[in-house]
Amino acid sequence: MSFESEIKRRRTFGIISHPDAGKTTLTEKLLLFGGAIQEAGAVKNNKIKKGATSDFMEIERQRGISVATSVLAFIYRDKKINILDTPGHKDFAEDTFRTLTAVDSVIVVIDVAKGVEEQTEKLVEVCRMRNIPIIVFINKMDREGKDAFDLLDEVEQKLNLTVTPLSFPIGMGYDFKGIYNIYEKNINLFSGDSKKNIEDVIAFNDINSKKLDTIIGDKAANDLRENLELVNGVYPEFNQKEYLEGNLQPVFFGSALNNFGVRELLDCFIDIAPTPRPKMSEERLVDSKEKDFTGFVFKIHANMDPKHRDRLAFIKIVSGTFERNKPYLHVRNNKKLKFSSPNAFFAEKKEIIDISYPGDIVGLHDTGNFKIGDTLTEGELLHYKGIPSFSPEHFRYINNADPLKSKQLSKGVDQLMDEGVAQLFTLELNGRKIIGTVGALQYEVIQYRLEHEYGAKCTYENFPVYKACWLAPKDKNSDEFKEFKRVKQKFLAKDKRGQLVFLADSQFSLQMTQQKYPNVTLKFTSEFE
């Protein structure tokens, strides 16, 4: 296959939603269609001992949530599909924001009963800022929930989207009969038999035919005709160009757990979703069809394989081909590196791969060379932008609980912070270490992983901080900045990259500081340099 046709075959997307909307279940079912797994295991169902393919960390199995973004790939109808399954729990939002820099489109999953939840609003806002094409999947139609039109209104208002349904439910909950596929003009009947992998589809060119009444009953058939008339009257017609520009969002209905409506979603997705898109670097716009390889690290995960204690850096390929054993320039360190065993992820298996194309995600074994946001090229000095670090909301001192294991503890903390699980601040005054996180649940994850992966025990101690602000003084040698450092010395710390950070203890002291030292700019996010 030619280089261009390899690019055209690829679809790289992320699945985002609120916890429990059924994101991991949807991922599993998509893999099932790709023939990548034999039986899908729902995350919380204890009867199935398998557990979900995409949740591989022990703590995820215990709690039934996803805490790390997993990367999965499969082939369907000759298209290579790369899924990035992201954590929905808000304590891990930062990982999700980073993942969104590596996808070309997203599918947003919404629970029919709960509708749009706040976590979904934040993530969709990030997609809109970057004009990422979005498809909405309304899940759990076999349960009682909100009316389909109310849900569509809610999606439009709360998420600020312009929607157009490409499938429509026939009934809901107990009366759920199936789905009319507007995109392909056929009906998929729901049997409620979760053992059936794929439901039967009946083609319907004319929904006014009497055949419809005999199949789903008069009332349901009339309701469907009325609803479809409304849909045609109210919503814009689907237009692929509008969708690709991020201005129109198709909506599908279904039930991921019963594998219902998932095929419709997938078939339409591979037809309309974008192939790998160009990406902006600080220097220029890089097109995916360029021959020279470029890519960036959007995630680092330590100890993916408990037997080997390895660290993998996940790289999204933006342009050119990535070849095994070929030296590439690590732009930040300005040195050439080559990789003898780049990994690709195929469902639950990692395979070593010789060549990868734009849109693909490759895992590189890392001995500590990479940080999040690093760029690899064939020699050009490029810097991919747009992976910010947010100000944490929780801060705690981290203390060593086992004096004999201090080396293990500092190595563990170092590696977990490189992954971007949380942020580490070192106080200027006494060198004490503080961990800042977006959500409180991360402290448990860190404690658990330090003990199980590094053999180190830690305890935490509260540290009252309102916000961490990165300092950007207009003049580093000014008297004002010197005085600021002298007065605030017990609130100053360095982050992992040695940048100076001011830890404000309250909103009031933050305002006072801004008034008193107008030339010392305080920032709440730090772009990864």
Side-chain angles (χ1 to χ4, degrees):
M1 268 194 174
S2 71
F3 174 60
E4 299 231 338
S5 56
E6 283 288 359
I7 299 181
K8 286 197 178 113
R9 282 181 67 209
R10 281 167 170 68
R11 305 279 184 279
T12 304
F13 71 101
I15 299 186
I16 57 178
S17 81
H18 198 82
D20 262 7
K23 184 173 42 193
T24 305
T25 315
L26 178 63
T27 309
E28 294 269 306
K29 294 308 197 260
L30 292 173
L31 287 175
L32 202 58
F33 279 106
I37 51 176
Q38 264 35 70
E39 54 167 319
V43 188
K44 292 202 180 62
N45 187 342
N46 299 329
K47 293 203 231 16
I48 304 178
K49 280 288 174 280
K50 206 164 158 307
T53 306
S54 54
D55 289 359
F56 49 69
M57 262 163 60
E58 189 52 40
I59 199 158
E60 306 190 349
R61 295 208 178 95
Q62 289 172 4
R63 293 188 156 218
I65 56 168
S66 304
V67 296
T69 305
S70 43
V71 180
L72 304 147
F74 64 94
I75 307 275
Y76 179 72
R77 288 187 14 199
D78 198 41
K79 298 278 189 280
K80 171 146 193 255
I81 299 176
N82 298 309
I83 305 184
L84 283 80
D85 178 23
T86 59
H89 199 288
K90 71 168 184 297
D91 289 6
F92 303 99
E94 216 167 310
D95 196 32
T96 307
F97 287 125
R98 283 191 209 123
T99 304
L100 289 176
T101 58
V103 300
D104 299 306
S105 66
V106 298
I107 291 179
V108 177
V109 183
I110 289 174
D111 181 321
V112 64
K114 297 187 184 129
V116 175
E117 296 172 88
E118 116 201 75
Q119 193 49 32
T120 321
E121 290 179 42
K122 278 192 192 146
L123 294 169
V124 169
E125 208 175 304
V126 175
C127 296
R128 290 190 54 81
M129 273 164 30
R130 304 215 165 99
N131 293 328
I132 300 175
I134 298 172
I135 292 180
V136 179
F137 181 69
I138 295 182
N139 191 18
K140 306 190 183 176
M141 289 308 296
D142 53 325
R143 301 190 185 174
E144 297 297 324
K146 303 183 177 181
D147 172 75
F149 286 108
D150 292 349
L151 274 167
L152 291 168
D153 284 351
E154 196 176 316
V155 169
E156 291 212 302
Q157 284 157 11
K158 284 197 178 166
L159 300 179
N160 200 2
L161 302 178
T162 308
V163 301
T164 177
L166 289 187
S167 76
F168 208 83
I170 305 169
M172 172 198 297
Y174 291 119
D175 308 325
F176 184 53
K177 298 272 195 302
I179 280 173
Y180 179 74
N181 186 339
I182 299 173
Y183 186 67
E184 291 175 20
K185 296 202 170 36
N186 58 30
I187 278 186
N188 187 345
L189 292 178
F190 180 64
S191 64
D193 176 6
S194 58
K195 292 202 175 52
K196 282 172 72 170
N197 275 342
I198 293 157
E199 302 276 343
D200 311 321
V201 175
I202 308 165
F204 254 95
N205 294 331
D206 175 22
I207 59 156
N208 291 320
S209 88
K210 279 282 166 244
K211 199 173 140 201
L212 183 63
D213 302 66
T214 46
I215 296 173
I216 59 175
D218 298 350
K219 184 182 177 311
N222 288 328
D223 286 352
L224 176 65
R225 290 179 188 125
E226 277 175 30
N227 287 341
L228 289 175
E229 211 171 300
L230 248 173
V231 166
N232 292 332
V234 176
Y235 295 101
E237 223 174 288
F238 175 69
N239 171 328
Q240 189 178 5
K241 183 171 171 286
E242 295 270 289
Y243 154 72
L244 289 174
E245 286 168 359
N247 299 325
L248 183 66
Q249 287 77 26
V251 180
F252 285 87
F253 291 85
S255 157
L257 191 62
N258 292 302
N259 203 358
F260 192 77
V262 178
R263 186 197 58 79
E264 285 79 347
L265 173 72
L266 187 56
D267 282 349
C268 174
F269 172 81
I270 64 173
D271 273 357
I272 67 172
T275 51
R277 308 194 323 164
K279 187 164 174 68
M280 197 65 205
S281 69
E282 278 175 34
E283 291 74 12
R284 62 187 185 84
L285 185 69
V286 180
D287 194 291
S288 58
K289 297 182 185 65
E290 291 179 22
K291 289 286 179 264
D292 286 349
F293 163 77
T294 66
F296 65 97
V297 179
F298 68 94
K299 175 183 171 59
I300 292 173
H301 196 57
N303 309 322
M304 284 193 62
D305 183 347
K307 297 188 200 70
H308 298 300
R309 294 273 166 268
D310 57 348
R311 245 175 85 137
L312 274 187
F314 289 89
I315 294 218
K316 159 82 187 271
I317 299 174
V318 180
S319 66
T321 52
F322 179 87
E323 293 170 46
R324 183 176 159 191
N325 285 327
K326 186 172 171 181
Y328 292 112
L329 176 70
H330 181 320
V331 176
R332 183 175 52 86
N333 287 349
N334 194 17
K335 64 178 191 200
K336 291 256 177 164
L337 300 172
K338 56 197 229 186
F339 304 94
S340 57
S341 55
N343 277 238
F345 305 88
F346 203 80
E348 51 197 348
K349 296 180 275 300
K350 281 193 311 199
E351 324 179 326
I352 288 179
I353 192 154
D354 289 321
I355 183 161
S356 300
Y357 295 91
D360 284 343
I361 309 291
V362 184
L364 302 179
H365 288 281
D366 176 29
T367 50
N369 292 315
F370 288 117
K371 289 184 177 172
I372 287 176
D374 279 351
T375 307
L376 276 179
T377 69
E378 289 198 28
E380 188 181 354
L381 296 177
L382 277 182
H383 298 84
Y384 283 114
K385 270 185 72 148
I387 305 189
S389 199
F390 297 86
S391 169
E393 321 224 322
H394 302 260
F395 298 84
R396 294 183 191 172
Y397 284 120
I398 178 166
N399 299 322
N400 185 2
D402 180 354
L404 296 173
K405 293 278 174 77
S406 59
K407 208 163 141 198
Q408 284 90 325
L409 182 74
S410 75
K411 180 183 168 191
V413 168
D414 250 16
Q415 292 203 351
L416 291 179
M417 299 306 134
D418 276 349
E419 263 186 53
V421 176
Q423 293 175 56
L424 185 69
F425 301 104
T426 309
L427 283 182
E428 291 279 80
L429 200 63
N430 53 16
R432 281 192 77 177
K433 303 249 187 283
I434 290 159
I435 287 184
T437 68
V438 180
L441 190 61
Q442 266 145 315
Y443 289 110
E444 277 183 60
V445 173
I446 292 168
Q447 199 165 24
Y448 181 90
R449 290 186 62 186
L450 282 172
E451 190 174 334
H452 290 83
E453 295 172 14
Y454 299 93
K457 286 195 165 85
C458 71
T459 57
Y460 297 118
E461 193 183 319
N462 268 341
F463 181 61
V465 172
Y466 165 68
K467 272 268 190 275
C469 319
W470 282 268
L471 296 174
K474 290 201 173 119
D475 175 9
K476 287 197 162 146
N477 300 319
S478 66
D479 292 341
E480 181 183 340
F481 189 51
K482 284 180 185 149
E483 195 207 338
F484 169 83
K485 288 203 296 197
R486 187 180 58 74
V487 173
K488 299 286 181 193
Q489 64 178 26
K490 62 182 234 255
F491 300 108
L492 291 183
K494 287 243 168 85
D495 72 1
K496 201 162 186 277
R497 287 168 304 145
Q499 289 177 302
L500 204 57
V501 179
F502 168 55
L503 303 171
D505 54 350
S506 69
Q507 193 170 359
F508 175 71
S509 87
L510 187 60
Q511 285 165 343
M512 294 306 291
T513 307
Q514 282 168 323
Q515 282 167 16
K516 199 169 165 196
Y517 306 102
N519 291 320
V520 181
T521 315
L522 304 174
K523 294 175 152 184
F524 297 111
T525 62
S526 82
E527 281 280 325
F528 273 99
E529 297 305 321

